[in-house]
Amino acid sequence: RSDMKGLLRRFMQGVFISVSFVPVSAEETDVVKVDTVPKFIYSIGGGAGMNHLFNIEMRGEKLVKRGWGGAYELFMTSQANPLDTTVSVYDRVFGFPTLEAGVQLLDYSHTRLHTGDTPYQSSLGYVWAAYIGFRRDIYRNKKWSFGYGLENGLCLSSRPYEAADNVDNDMIGQHLSMFFGCNVFAGYRPMPAMELSVGFEYKHVSNGATDRPNKGSNSYGLTVRGRYDLNRPQSDKGLTFEQRLGRLQAFRRTPFDSFMYLDVNATVGFRTMYEEWLLRRNYLSEDDELYHDGKIALHTVWGTALVPMFRYNQVHASGVGLEYSFGGYVSRSPKIEREMGVTGHYRHSKHVLGIAAHHEVYYKQLSLAMSVGTYLFRQHGWIQKKHEPPIYETVGIRYYPKFFKPFYIGYNLKANGGKAYAMELKVGLHAGHWRLRRKAK
């Protein structure tokens, strides 16, 4: 009986050992390797550079007397891994772009602004910005890369316009503003997990006409950046442009069926009246309590649009549509014109009708939406003749929630001939989905 027990014990041990060391096929090994590939490569980095303010003319002379400043940033990035076979079609189309989130400090404390006989010089102070960014390589080999980047966010200014002690700061009118940046860069990888780059950058700070003054600060300069990949796979030694292109072509692509849809949206915009600012800045006497007062009323503008759009590939859609807006604040214009001493008869209407060409660029659940249009009907009085050109532009970001794809929320910056007009919040949906059938051969 003891011999039988020993034989049974040896048999079970043999079965256990044989099961534990079953050889793994090559196909199964490949699956294991694929499963261990991270979907995204995460990085951290920072940068520093010098920039210079664009000069503008105010009250008959150049405003910027000293324009040099500094720029510093810390950021984190995320990039779809080219080794991941489940990568999004949007990442493939854009060539594996990098998404970025970070903070910037724009040091304008040494800038000097001055016009007229003001007994002191004004300054822009410091601007802290929290932003998200999109960076894309146009060309890349094993060591070098060239591309462009876009940035957008909110910023806080330490020295906005103040009638008492910062009166010549015509660029930034309030503490809270919007930040926009764009750049072109050249990058170099001394090792696969590290990239150094130098870029030529443009930065814009504006409150979107939600306060006055609001000429906006615009600066240009060079920035040096460095970033380090935290989880780059050992198997990725820095894909060359040819290898990256090969991976893109290796993905199985299904033809995109173009279609049309109707973009139906509504907006509420916020703006201050430029003519009211001009009244306080240039026309009131110095002993008037409102003279140089930057506390200007904020008004709302309601609008809606119907835009037939044609989405002709995965990331681009274009169309032309009608837009209507209602601004009750226009009824204040005749009184302001009288206080300014404006002569002549000017018509005023709260209703505006326009037509605009629209374009939208999609990336996953986000899109960059922009338009250029002209007014079919607008009567805004004297200010329209002097300071509001008939061409208007919008640019903004939209977000499409997963739970209701036709629906989106977003915001726009609206401008007249490049001058900020209003900051708009937008909600809308895509009605209809009409595919264009191909003709049978």
Side-chain angles (χ1 to χ4, degrees), residues 156-345:
L156 192 66
S157 302
S158 67
R159 290 275 289 160
Y161 169 88
E162 285 291 345
D165 59 3
N166 208 28
V167 72
D168 285 324
N169 182 2
D170 286 275
M171 294 183 172
I172 300 177
Q174 65 180 11
H175 288 288
L176 185 63
S177 296
M178 297 294 298
F179 166 77
F180 172 78
C182 61
N183 57 74
V184 291
F185 63 85
Y188 174 75
R189 283 189 175 269
M191 60 183 68
M194 178 181 291
E195 182 181 64
L196 304 176
S197 65
V198 58
F200 178 79
E201 301 195 332
Y202 164 79
K203 300 180 187 296
H204 173 73
V205 176
S206 168
N207 61 46
T210 56
D211 203 349
R212 303 288 177 175
N214 186 46
K215 294 296 182 182
S217 72
N218 299 282
S219 62
Y220 63 92
L222 291 176
T223 298
V224 177
R225 291 161 48 106
R227 70 172 187 175
Y228 184 80
D229 299 332
L230 300 176
N231 63 332
R232 177 170 291 275
Q234 293 298 319
S235 55
D236 181 5
K237 300 301 182 182
L239 295 180
T240 66
F241 179 77
E242 291 76 14
Q243 290 172 328
R244 189 176 292 255
L245 183 62
R247 291 190 181 278
L248 288 174
Q249 294 173 342
F251 284 113
R252 185 187 216 171
R253 296 195 185 191
T254 56
F256 182 83
D257 292 329
S258 57
F259 62 92
M260 295 192 69
Y261 60 93
L262 184 63
D263 184 353
V264 183
N265 60 65
T267 62
V268 54
F270 304 92
R271 72 179 305 260
T272 52
M273 298 175 66
Y274 187 50
E275 55 266 52
E276 187 173 0
W277 164 246
L278 290 177
L279 171 66
R280 301 186 181 202
R281 179 81 187 198
N282 300 331
Y283 291 89
L284 295 180
S285 62
E286 294 187 11
D287 57 353
D288 193 300
E289 62 179 5
L290 296 180
Y291 178 70
H292 277 205
D293 185 2
K295 299 176 182 179
I296 301 176
L298 186 65
H299 305 283
T300 56
V301 185
W302 301 92
T304 185
L306 296 175
V307 187
M309 296 287 288
F310 176 43
R311 188 163 179 176
Y312 45 89
N313 61 30
Q314 188 71 43
V315 298
H316 294 285
S318 301
V320 178
L322 293 175
E323 302 179 340
Y324 166 80
S325 63
F326 175 85
Y329 66 90
V330 177
S331 60
R332 294 169 52 93
S333 296
K335 179 178 181 296
I336 296 175
E337 290 174 4
R338 288 194 298 269
E339 293 185 56
M340 295 172 66
V342 173
T343 59
H345 177 69

Side-chain angles (χ1 to χ4, degrees), residues 15-49:
V15 170
F16 175 77
I17 292 173
S18 63
V19 170
S20 301
F21 292 92
V22 172
V24 179
S25 66
E27 182 178 356
E28 292 172 334
T29 303
D30 289 341
V31 172
V32 172
K33 286 183 179 179
V34 170
D35 289 342
T36 60
V37 171
K39 290 183 177 295
F40 299 96
I41 300 173
Y42 299 103
S43 309
I44 57 173

